[in-house]
Amino acid sequence: MTVDPRAPERAPIRTDLTWLRHRSRVTAGAGSGSRSGSAGPGRSGSALADFVAGRSTARRPAAASRPAPAPATPEPARPVPARLAPAPAAAASSSLDLSSPLDLSAPAAPPTTPTAAPPTVPPSSGSLDLFGPSAPAASPSPSSPPSAPRGAGSSSLDLSEPLTPPAVPARAPSGSTSLDLGGPAAPPPPRPTGSTSLDLGPTPLRTPSSAPSSAPPGTGPAPGSATSLDLSGAAAPPAAPATPAAPSMRRPASTWQEPRTTPGVPTTLNPRRPTVTLTRVQSGVGTLTFEAIVTAAAGDLRLGCAYQLRSGLASTVAHHTGRRYAPPGQTRRPLIVASRQDYERIAVDLRQVTDLERLVVYGFSGNGQPLQWGGTLIATTFGGDRIEMPIELAPAPAVAVLASVYNIGGELIIRSEMDLVGSTVREACRGYGFERISWVDDTTPID
Amino acid sequence: MTPALQRGANVALTQEIPSLTGVVLGVRWNAGAEQALSDNLVAATILCDRDNRAPSDRYFVFFNQIASPEESVTRRSELLGDDREQIEVDLGDVPAEIQRIVVALYVNDGPGARRTLGQLRDCFIRVLDQRGGQELVRSENLAPALRSETAILLGELYRHTTGWKFKVIGQGYDNGIAGIAADYGVPL
């Protein structure tokens, strides 16, 4: 579900792609559903996972931060109106609907010219004529800079050009999708109309949670170019204010794909690329192991694992404390086993992965002396793919959550956490939402 | 009760039953008192193209991926009869590039004690008509020939000029599902 929001990031690229982006949005919503169909619960779970974890994933934070930049641009939109006006006239010759929308935007133009563009895009074929007219509009210097599209000429690209100029400033924020205008216009008024694709873009920005749900159903965009036109017009007035909100959307890229492992090449997780998603096959065959590869220089680093099962059961395992099997006392067929060979190891029986909801792997000092940390936590799939998570933390007498694993629709998402979260195992677990665990003391859960 | 098919024997399903639109592949086993073995057994279905390769990991259907992308092959969650696993195949929906559908049984290599298929008392694969559930074909007991194997190819549905055919394979693997995945190009 998160995929859609990312589209904004690519906003700068506007070209032919703008049109594609629109489509991608819509499909994204549908896509998530299809996935779930193949294997159980849908992707929606990923958001849940983040939420449950009580931490914002990289995606969310980014989105929030980015928005700010975009807002500043409201003014730029004004110039656009003039351009738009010319375009409408030309448009009149061809697809009436398109042209009409353009006109609307023109009036509105003062606030947000971008809107005009959005309508054109969706219409596609019909809009062709419009584009022609629009091209002239493009000539106005303002649009040219932002729009790479120029080359496009008659095609939809042209449209984007005119639009883009205005949009660019404001757009960035809305970025969610096709730069098309939709971004600028959408933010403000679009929601109400909601019917068009343009609207969808903006709405998501404002209210991420609501937007996704609406968007998919929102097939509305398809309804017709005519609607989009209306939207643009409406949007125009409010657009200026809305733009600020739009920025938040930026992050998401419509084409975002989940990071996967690569056979034969270790996958390194770091703050810029903190997660990797195992396929359902990787998540359900053999054993998934975590090993802390460290030297004595790091101190007496030990591993533990806090887990939560579908049944609601939550507890911990750690070889150092003698709690080696999960669920507690399940030695015949454990789901998780903590052991120590060359290094501390946590092994997850993937035959039982459907019973697993989530787990975190934490590191702590076995001898009570402060840890220097260091080394690498390595997760290994049954097929031998390695996921490396460098342990880079400041020396501290604390417990650190090193990695988390969430079972989302049958796919395990491994995330490098590297989070000094508390001074005891109990604090670390509570910090990651394991409220179901009751404690005997700071390191021992009640079985 | 239909006569048991020996290893390597095949039957022309759609030629003999022109009205056949879908089948259920039933897998059953008896591990006796070896509950740990029974708990760790997994039936997996691999859809293969003309080169005998799975187009992607999505064409490996098992408990954690219960359908192929186009859902022509699905794992039944509600079993009918005495089978331990059942896989439904809508023959008409199988993508044209899929030439064969192989059913394997393997011992998951978990953190616990290692088990082998040699401890199985019985092991069968059978084919049912998706409509009505009538048994069309049943394999011989494949368990007696197993020793240290940790995976076995039970049988396969495959396209032939006469339509869909079914063959009993019964080939064991000492290196488990890893060996089968390697043979069929399934990325683990």
Side-chain angles (χ1 to χ4, degrees):
Chain A
M1 56 190 287
T2 55
V3 173
D4 296 356
R6 304 209 167 187
E9 266 197 1
R10 298 210 169 181
I13 300 175
R14 323 160 177 176
T15 59
D16 325 4
L17 294 181
T18 59
W19 189 76
L20 292 176
R21 290 175 188 174
H22 274 289
R23 297 186 62 189
S24 65
R25 275 189 180 179
V26 176
T27 55
S32 65
S34 67
R35 279 191 180 183
S36 64
S38 65
R43 265 313 140 75
S44 60
S46 68
L48 279 179
D50 297 343
F51 178 76
V52 171
R55 1 185 55 232
S56 60
T57 54
R59 307 171 185 176
R60 290 185 181 179
S65 64
R66 295 184 181 179
T73 57
E75 294 180 358
R78 294 180 182 179
V80 178
R83 299 175 184 175
L84 295 177
S93 65
S94 65
S95 63
L96 299 174
D97 296 347
L98 296 173
S99 65
S100 65
L102 294 175
D103 296 339
L104 294 175
S105 63
T112 56
T113 52
T115 56
T120 57
V121 175
S124 69
S125 64
S127 63
L128 294 177
D129 298 2
L130 296 175
F131 292 104
S134 66
S139 63
S141 59
S143 64
S144 62
S147 62
R150 298 177 182 176
S154 64
S155 67
S156 61
L157 295 176
D158 297 7
L159 295 175
S160 64
E161 291 183 357
L163 300 175
T164 51
V168 172
R171 239 1 108 46
S174 62
S176 60
T177 63
S178 50
L179 328 173
D180 314 345
L181 346 175
R191 289 185 184 177
T193 53
S195 64
T196 62
S197 61
L198 297 174
D199 298 16
L200 297 174
T203 45
L205 298 175
R206 291 183 180 180
T207 53
S209 63
S210 65
S213 62
S214 65
T219 50
S225 59
T227 56
S228 64
L229 296 174
D230 298 1
L231 295 174
S232 64
T243 50
S248 64
M249 298 305 288
R250 261 198 191 177
R251 255 246 175 138
S254 60
T255 58
W256 181 80
Q257 292 184 336
E258 288 171 283
R260 301 287 186 178
T261 62
T262 306
V265 181
T267 300
T268 301
L269 302 184
N270 54 48
R272 297 186 61 182
R273 187 178 188 271
T275 71
V276 66
T277 304
L278 303 184
T279 66
R280 291 194 184 90
V281 174
Q282 290 174 319
S283 302
V285 175
T287 304
L288 177 67
T289 63
F290 289 86
E291 269 193 320
I293 312 299
V294 298
T295 66
D300 187 18
L301 175 60
R302 302 299 185 118
L303 288 186
C305 169
Y307 59 87
Q308 183 169 327
L309 306 186
R310 297 279 188 219
S311 64
L313 176 68
S315 190
T316 66
V317 295
H319 178 265
H320 182 67
T321 60
R323 302 174 53 80
R324 297 187 50 205
Y325 302 100
Q330 177 56 275
T331 58
R332 188 184 69 77
R333 191 175 183 236
L335 200 161
I336 305 172
V337 177
S339 62
R340 181 182 179 88
Q341 294 172 11
D342 292 340
Y343 303 103
E344 291 271 305
R345 171 184 291 190
I346 304 289
V348 183
D349 181 8
L350 297 181
R351 177 66 182 87
Q352 304 180 66
V353 72
T354 49
D355 296 332
L356 176 66
E357 190 158 299
R358 66 183 179 116
L359 63 82
V360 300
V361 175
Y362 57 82
F364 62 101
S365 172
N367 58 14
Q369 299 300 309
L371 290 171
Q372 299 302 306
W373 302 102
T376 301
L377 180 69
I378 295 184
T380 308
T381 68
F382 180 69
D385 286 359
R386 272 168 42 181
I387 298 120
E388 301 177 348
M389 292 164 269
I391 303 173
E392 295 170 348
L393 294 167
V399 174
V401 169
L402 306 178
S404 64
V405 178
Y406 286 83
N407 183 356
I408 306 300
E411 292 185 326
L412 296 181
I413 299 177
I414 300 174
R415 180 183 172 90
S416 174
E417 300 285 358
M418 302 306 155
D419 189 2
L420 289 166
V421 72
S423 58
T424 65
V425 170
R426 177 181 182 173
E427 287 180 10
C429 290
R430 295 196 65 169
Y432 274 71
F434 287 94
E435 306 292 346
R436 287 173 178 267
I437 303 178
S438 297
W439 301 85
V440 175
D441 57 36
D442 282 343
T443 58
T444 313
I446 294 175
D447 288 340
Chain B
M1 193 62 101
T2 53
L5 279 186
Q6 307 292 309
R7 278 180 171 76
N10 67 74
V11 56
L13 292 174
T14 53
Q15 186 179 40
E16 296 192 9
I17 311 173
S19 63
L20 192 65
T21 58
V23 299
V24 175
L25 301 171
V27 179
R28 56 174 61 179
W29 64 80
N30 178 359
E34 290 289 340
Q35 188 61 37
L37 170 61
S38 192
D39 289 343
N40 281 316
L41 286 178
V42 180
T45 307
I46 306 170
L47 286 71
C48 305
D49 61 19
R50 195 173 300 278
D51 299 324
N52 255 352
R53 312 282 288 180
S56 78
D57 63 276
R58 301 290 308 282
Y59 292 84
F60 183 93
V61 176
F62 71 133
F63 70 90
N64 201 41
Q65 181 158 266
I66 57 176
S68 57
E70 76 298 326
E71 299 186 5
S72 63
V73 176
T74 56
R75 174 181 183 265
R76 263 192 181 170
S77 55
E78 301 287 331
L79 301 180
L80 300 178
D82 297 330
D83 293 326
R84 304 295 293 263
E85 289 271 358
Q86 288 184 334
I87 301 101
E88 283 191 77
V89 180
D90 287 312
L91 298 175
D93 293 343
V94 176
E97 70 266 27
I98 298 300
Q99 293 294 310
R100 75 183 60 234
I101 298 168
V102 185
V103 179
L105 182 68
Y106 69 91
V107 184
N108 191 67
D109 191 0
R114 182 177 170 83
R115 313 276 176 175
T116 70
L117 294 176
Q119 294 161 300
L120 284 179
R121 294 182 179 180
D122 304 319
C123 179
F124 301 94
I125 183 171
R126 61 192 195 128
V127 181
L128 314 179
D129 188 337
Q130 191 177 28
R131 288 183 302 186
Q134 180 192 358
E135 180 176 293
L136 305 176
V137 182
R138 168 192 290 259
S139 75
E140 64 174 331
N141 183 3
L142 301 172
L146 297 172
R147 297 289 182 272
S148 60
E149 292 87 348
T150 51
I152 178 175
L153 291 178
L154 299 173
E156 63 180 2
L157 285 169
Y158 60 101
R159 293 185 193 272
H160 186 265
T161 53
T162 60
W164 284 98
K165 298 184 76 170
F166 174 78
K167 183 168 109 179
V168 175
I169 302 177
Q171 177 188 348
Y173 282 73
D174 282 338
N175 52 354
I177 189 62
I180 291 177
D183 279 0
Y184 290 98
V186 179
L188 288 180

Short mmCIF file of all heavy atoms in Angstrom, two decimals, chain B residues 12-50:
data_model
loop_
_atom_site.label_atom_id
_atom_site.label_comp_id
_atom_site.label_asym_id
_atom_site.label_seq_id
_atom_site.Cartn_x
_atom_site.Cartn_y
_atom_site.Cartn_z
N ALA B 12 -3.13 -41.12 -19.43
CA ALA B 12 -3.60 -39.95 -20.18
C ALA B 12 -4.94 -39.51 -19.60
O ALA B 12 -5.98 -40.08 -19.91
CB ALA B 12 -3.72 -40.29 -21.66
N LEU B 13 -4.87 -38.49 -18.77
CA LEU B 13 -6.07 -38.09 -18.04
C LEU B 13 -7.15 -37.52 -18.93
O LEU B 13 -8.28 -38.00 -18.98
CB LEU B 13 -5.70 -37.05 -16.98
CG LEU B 13 -4.86 -37.55 -15.81
CD1 LEU B 13 -4.45 -36.38 -14.93
CD2 LEU B 13 -5.63 -38.59 -15.00
N THR B 14 -6.82 -36.46 -19.67
CA THR B 14 -7.87 -35.78 -20.44
C THR B 14 -8.25 -36.57 -21.70
O THR B 14 -9.31 -36.34 -22.26
CB THR B 14 -7.42 -34.37 -20.84
OG1 THR B 14 -6.15 -34.44 -21.49
CG2 THR B 14 -7.30 -33.47 -19.62
N GLN B 15 -7.39 -37.47 -22.11
CA GLN B 15 -7.76 -38.30 -23.25
C GLN B 15 -8.82 -39.32 -22.84
O GLN B 15 -9.77 -39.58 -23.58
CB GLN B 15 -6.52 -39.01 -23.80
CG GLN B 15 -6.78 -39.79 -25.07
CD GLN B 15 -5.53 -40.46 -25.60
OE1 GLN B 15 -4.73 -40.99 -24.84
NE2 GLN B 15 -5.35 -40.42 -26.91
N GLU B 16 -8.62 -39.87 -21.67
CA GLU B 16 -9.57 -40.87 -21.20
C GLU B 16 -10.84 -40.25 -20.64
O GLU B 16 -11.90 -40.85 -20.65
CB GLU B 16 -8.92 -41.75 -20.14
CG GLU B 16 -7.75 -42.56 -20.70
CD GLU B 16 -7.30 -43.64 -19.72
OE1 GLU B 16 -8.01 -43.84 -18.72
OE2 GLU B 16 -6.27 -44.25 -19.97
N ILE B 17 -10.69 -39.04 -20.11
CA ILE B 17 -11.86 -38.35 -19.55
C ILE B 17 -11.95 -36.96 -20.18
O ILE B 17 -11.49 -35.98 -19.60
CB ILE B 17 -11.76 -38.22 -18.02
CG1 ILE B 17 -11.40 -39.58 -17.39
CG2 ILE B 17 -13.04 -37.66 -17.43
CD1 ILE B 17 -11.11 -39.50 -15.93
N PRO B 18 -12.49 -36.87 -21.38
CA PRO B 18 -12.52 -35.59 -22.10
C PRO B 18 -13.20 -34.47 -21.32
O PRO B 18 -12.88 -33.30 -21.53
CB PRO B 18 -13.30 -35.92 -23.37
CG PRO B 18 -13.14 -37.40 -23.55
CD PRO B 18 -13.09 -37.96 -22.15
N SER B 19 -14.07 -34.80 -20.43
CA SER B 19 -14.80 -33.76 -19.70
C SER B 19 -14.01 -33.23 -18.50
O SER B 19 -14.47 -32.35 -17.79
CB SER B 19 -16.14 -34.31 -19.21
OG SER B 19 -15.93 -35.36 -18.28
N LEU B 20 -12.84 -33.77 -18.29
CA LEU B 20 -12.06 -33.40 -17.10
C LEU B 20 -11.55 -31.96 -17.23
O LEU B 20 -10.83 -31.61 -18.17
CB LEU B 20 -10.86 -34.35 -16.97
CG LEU B 20 -10.11 -34.30 -15.64
CD1 LEU B 20 -10.98 -34.76 -14.49
CD2 LEU B 20 -8.84 -35.16 -15.72
N THR B 21 -11.93 -31.11 -16.28
CA THR B 21 -11.50 -29.71 -16.32
C THR B 21 -10.52 -29.36 -15.21
O THR B 21 -9.82 -28.36 -15.28
CB THR B 21 -12.71 -28.77 -16.19
OG1 THR B 21 -13.38 -29.06 -14.97
CG2 THR B 21 -13.66 -28.97 -17.35
N GLY B 22 -10.51 -30.19 -14.20
CA GLY B 22 -9.61 -29.90 -13.10
C GLY B 22 -9.39 -31.14 -12.26
O GLY B 22 -10.21 -32.05 -12.26
N VAL B 23 -8.25 -31.19 -11.59
CA VAL B 23 -7.95 -32.34 -10.74
C VAL B 23 -7.49 -31.87 -9.38
O VAL B 23 -7.09 -30.72 -9.19
CB VAL B 23 -6.85 -33.24 -11.36
CG1 VAL B 23 -7.29 -33.79 -12.70
CG2 VAL B 23 -5.55 -32.47 -11.49
N VAL B 24 -7.57 -32.79 -8.43
CA VAL B 24 -6.99 -32.56 -7.11
C VAL B 24 -5.91 -33.61 -6.91
O VAL B 24 -6.14 -34.80 -7.11
CB VAL B 24 -8.06 -32.71 -6.00
CG1 VAL B 24 -7.41 -32.59 -4.62
CG2 VAL B 24 -9.15 -31.67 -6.19
N LEU B 25 -4.70 -33.12 -6.60
CA LEU B 25 -3.60 -34.03 -6.33
C LEU B 25 -3.55 -34.23 -4.81
O LEU B 25 -3.33 -33.28 -4.06
CB LEU B 25 -2.29 -33.44 -6.83
CG LEU B 25 -2.26 -33.12 -8.33
CD1 LEU B 25 -1.01 -32.35 -8.70
CD2 LEU B 25 -2.33 -34.42 -9.13
N GLY B 26 -3.79 -35.44 -4.39
CA GLY B 26 -3.81 -35.73 -2.95
C GLY B 26 -2.53 -36.44 -2.53
O GLY B 26 -2.06 -37.34 -3.21
N VAL B 27 -1.96 -35.99 -1.41
CA VAL B 27 -0.75 -36.62 -0.89
C VAL B 27 -1.08 -37.15 0.50
O VAL B 27 -1.68 -36.43 1.32
CB VAL B 27 0.41 -35.60 -0.79
CG1 VAL B 27 1.66 -36.28 -0.23
CG2 VAL B 27 0.69 -34.99 -2.16
N ARG B 28 -0.73 -38.37 0.74
CA ARG B 28 -0.97 -38.92 2.08
C ARG B 28 0.24 -39.70 2.52
O ARG B 28 0.98 -40.26 1.71
CB ARG B 28 -2.23 -39.77 2.10
CG ARG B 28 -2.25 -40.90 1.09
CD ARG B 28 -3.48 -41.78 1.29
NE ARG B 28 -4.72 -41.02 1.13
CZ ARG B 28 -5.94 -41.56 1.23
NH1 ARG B 28 -6.07 -42.85 1.49
NH2 ARG B 28 -7.02 -40.84 1.05
N TRP B 29 0.48 -39.67 3.83
CA TRP B 29 1.61 -40.40 4.37
C TRP B 29 1.27 -40.88 5.76
O TRP B 29 0.33 -40.39 6.39
CB TRP B 29 2.87 -39.54 4.39
CG TRP B 29 2.76 -38.33 5.29
CD1 TRP B 29 2.92 -38.31 6.65
CD2 TRP B 29 2.50 -36.99 4.89
NE1 TRP B 29 2.76 -37.03 7.11
CE2 TRP B 29 2.51 -36.19 6.06
CE3 TRP B 29 2.27 -36.36 3.66
CZ2 TRP B 29 2.28 -34.82 6.04
CZ3 TRP B 29 2.04 -35.00 3.64
CH2 TRP B 29 2.05 -34.25 4.82
N ASN B 30 2.06 -41.83 6.22
CA ASN B 30 1.90 -42.36 7.57
C ASN B 30 3.29 -42.51 8.16
O ASN B 30 4.09 -43.31 7.68
CB ASN B 30 1.17 -43.71 7.51
CG ASN B 30 1.03 -44.32 8.89
OD1 ASN B 30 1.48 -43.75 9.89
ND2 ASN B 30 0.42 -45.50 8.96
N ALA B 31 3.57 -41.69 9.17
CA ALA B 31 4.89 -41.74 9.79
C ALA B 31 4.87 -42.53 11.08
O ALA B 31 5.82 -42.49 11.86
CB ALA B 31 5.40 -40.31 10.06
N GLY B 32 3.79 -43.25 11.31
CA GLY B 32 3.71 -44.04 12.53
C GLY B 32 3.79 -43.17 13.76
O GLY B 32 3.09 -42.17 13.87
N ALA B 33 4.70 -43.54 14.67
CA ALA B 33 4.83 -42.79 15.91
C ALA B 33 5.77 -41.59 15.74
O ALA B 33 6.00 -40.85 16.69
CB ALA B 33 5.37 -43.70 17.01
N GLU B 34 6.33 -41.43 14.57
CA GLU B 34 7.28 -40.34 14.35
C GLU B 34 6.54 -39.02 14.12
O GLU B 34 6.53 -38.47 13.02
CB GLU B 34 8.18 -40.66 13.14
CG GLU B 34 9.15 -41.78 13.40
CD GLU B 34 10.25 -41.37 14.37
OE1 GLU B 34 10.48 -40.14 14.52
OE2 GLU B 34 10.86 -42.25 14.97
N GLN B 35 5.96 -38.51 15.18
CA GLN B 35 5.19 -37.28 15.06
C GLN B 35 6.08 -36.12 14.60
O GLN B 35 5.66 -35.26 13.83
CB GLN B 35 4.55 -36.93 16.40
CG GLN B 35 3.57 -35.77 16.34
CD GLN B 35 2.39 -36.07 15.40
OE1 GLN B 35 1.91 -37.20 15.33
NE2 GLN B 35 1.95 -35.05 14.67
N ALA B 36 7.31 -36.10 15.08
CA ALA B 36 8.21 -35.00 14.71
C ALA B 36 8.46 -35.00 13.20
O ALA B 36 8.58 -33.94 12.59
CB ALA B 36 9.52 -35.11 15.46
N LEU B 37 8.55 -36.21 12.63
CA LEU B 37 8.73 -36.28 11.18
C LEU B 37 7.48 -35.79 10.46
O LEU B 37 7.55 -34.97 9.55
CB LEU B 37 9.03 -37.73 10.77
CG LEU B 37 9.02 -38.00 9.26
CD1 LEU B 37 10.09 -37.17 8.57
CD2 LEU B 37 9.23 -39.48 8.99
N SER B 38 6.35 -36.28 10.90
CA SER B 38 5.11 -35.90 10.24
C SER B 38 4.89 -34.39 10.29
O SER B 38 4.46 -33.77 9.32
CB SER B 38 3.94 -36.62 10.92
OG SER B 38 2.78 -36.50 10.15
N ASP B 39 5.23 -33.78 11.44
CA ASP B 39 5.04 -32.34 11.58
C ASP B 39 5.94 -31.54 10.65
O ASP B 39 5.64 -30.39 10.30
CB ASP B 39 5.35 -31.90 13.03
CG ASP B 39 4.28 -32.37 13.99
OD1 ASP B 39 3.18 -32.72 13.53
OD2 ASP B 39 4.56 -32.39 15.21
N ASN B 40 7.06 -32.12 10.28
CA ASN B 40 8.02 -31.37 9.48
C ASN B 40 7.94 -31.69 7.99
O ASN B 40 8.76 -31.22 7.20
CB ASN B 40 9.45 -31.63 9.98
CG ASN B 40 9.75 -30.80 11.21
OD1 ASN B 40 9.43 -29.64 11.28
ND2 ASN B 40 10.34 -31.43 12.22
N LEU B 41 6.97 -32.52 7.60
CA LEU B 41 6.83 -32.82 6.18
C LEU B 41 6.08 -31.70 5.48
O LEU B 41 5.12 -31.13 6.03
CB LEU B 41 6.07 -34.13 6.00
CG LEU B 41 6.86 -35.40 6.31
CD1 LEU B 41 5.97 -36.62 6.12
CD2 LEU B 41 8.09 -35.48 5.42
N VAL B 42 6.50 -31.39 4.28
CA VAL B 42 5.86 -30.34 3.49
C VAL B 42 5.64 -30.85 2.08
O VAL B 42 6.55 -31.42 1.47
CB VAL B 42 6.75 -29.08 3.43
CG1 VAL B 42 6.08 -27.99 2.60
CG2 VAL B 42 7.08 -28.57 4.83
N ALA B 43 4.43 -30.66 1.58
CA ALA B 43 4.18 -30.96 0.17
C ALA B 43 4.32 -29.66 -0.61
O ALA B 43 3.77 -28.64 -0.20
CB ALA B 43 2.78 -31.53 0.00
N ALA B 44 5.08 -29.71 -1.68
CA ALA B 44 5.29 -28.52 -2.50
C ALA B 44 5.01 -28.85 -3.95
O ALA B 44 5.29 -29.96 -4.41
CB ALA B 44 6.73 -28.02 -2.35
N THR B 45 4.42 -27.90 -4.65
CA THR B 45 4.10 -28.08 -6.06
C THR B 45 4.87 -27.05 -6.87
O THR B 45 4.83 -25.86 -6.56
CB THR B 45 2.60 -27.90 -6.29
OG1 THR B 45 1.89 -28.76 -5.39
CG2 THR B 45 2.22 -28.25 -7.71
N ILE B 46 5.56 -27.52 -7.89
CA ILE B 46 6.39 -26.62 -8.70
C ILE B 46 5.85 -26.60 -10.13
O ILE B 46 5.67 -27.66 -10.75
CB ILE B 46 7.86 -27.07 -8.70
CG1 ILE B 46 8.38 -27.21 -7.27
CG2 ILE B 46 8.72 -26.09 -9.51
CD1 ILE B 46 9.74 -27.87 -7.17
N LEU B 47 5.56 -25.41 -10.63
CA LEU B 47 5.12 -25.27 -12.01
C LEU B 47 6.34 -24.99 -12.88
O LEU B 47 7.12 -24.08 -12.59
CB LEU B 47 4.12 -24.12 -12.14
CG LEU B 47 2.70 -24.37 -11.60
CD1 LEU B 47 2.70 -24.42 -10.08
CD2 LEU B 47 1.74 -23.28 -12.08
N CYS B 48 6.49 -25.79 -13.92
CA CYS B 48 7.72 -25.69 -14.73
C CYS B 48 7.40 -25.34 -16.18
O CYS B 48 6.38 -25.75 -16.73
CB CYS B 48 8.46 -27.02 -14.72
SG CYS B 48 8.83 -27.63 -13.08
N ASP B 49 8.33 -24.61 -16.78
CA ASP B 49 8.17 -24.25 -18.18
C ASP B 49 8.78 -25.34 -19.07
O ASP B 49 9.14 -26.42 -18.61
CB ASP B 49 8.79 -22.88 -18.46
CG ASP B 49 10.28 -22.87 -18.15
OD1 ASP B 49 10.90 -23.96 -18.09
OD2 ASP B 49 10.83 -21.77 -17.99
N ARG B 50 8.92 -25.01 -20.34
CA ARG B 50 9.39 -25.98 -21.31
C ARG B 50 10.80 -26.50 -20.98
O ARG B 50 11.17 -27.61 -21.35
CB ARG B 50 9.38 -25.33 -22.71
CG ARG B 50 9.50 -26.28 -23.87
CD ARG B 50 9.30 -25.53 -25.18
NE ARG B 50 8.00 -24.89 -25.26
CZ ARG B 50 6.88 -25.53 -25.63
NH1 ARG B 50 6.95 -26.79 -25.96
NH2 ARG B 50 5.74 -24.89 -25.68
#
